[in-house]
Amino acid sequence: TIKLLSKTDERVAVIINNTDANFSHVRRFINHNNLINISILSVVQSKGLEFEKTFVFSNPMTLNEKYVSFTRALKELTIVNI
């Protein structure tokens, strides 16, 4: 289980594959872990942004997409493989 957010002012992102049209697994993940105040972004949308906590749904992503996604995290990166 993912740690609950301790501060609501933290910037938190959930990053998904650019072609992932099915958000249902992402919404279940968010609801199950009681995440609040987050941004759901594609890899392209996340480019150039940084977040204290980043959750990456890495399947299926190219190596380049993984690199871009993984480097958005400033403090904590969680890789989710569903």
Side-chain angles (χ1 to χ4, degrees), residues 13-79:
V14 174
I15 301 176
I16 61 171
N17 181 284
N18 294 326
T19 60
D20 193 350
N22 183 5
F23 286 96
S24 63
H25 62 285
V26 175
R27 297 206 186 286
R28 278 195 306 274
F29 175 81
I30 291 168
N31 291 336
H32 178 73
N33 291 289
N34 298 318
L35 299 176
I36 56 172
N37 198 25
I38 64 162
S39 299
I40 301 173
L41 306 164
S42 70
V43 176
V44 170
Q45 292 170 323
S46 72
K47 266 186 148 179
L49 303 176
E50 294 177 327
F51 303 90
E52 277 78 23
K53 293 184 181 184
T54 304
F55 299 89
V56 178
F57 284 78
S58 63
N59 286 337
M61 281 189 183
T62 66
L63 287 177
N64 186 53
E65 289 172 329
K66 288 179 183 180
Y67 173 80
V68 170
S69 300
F70 296 172
T71 57
R72 302 304 93 209
L74 292 173
K75 294 181 182 177
E76 187 175 325
L77 169 65
T78 303
I79 301 168

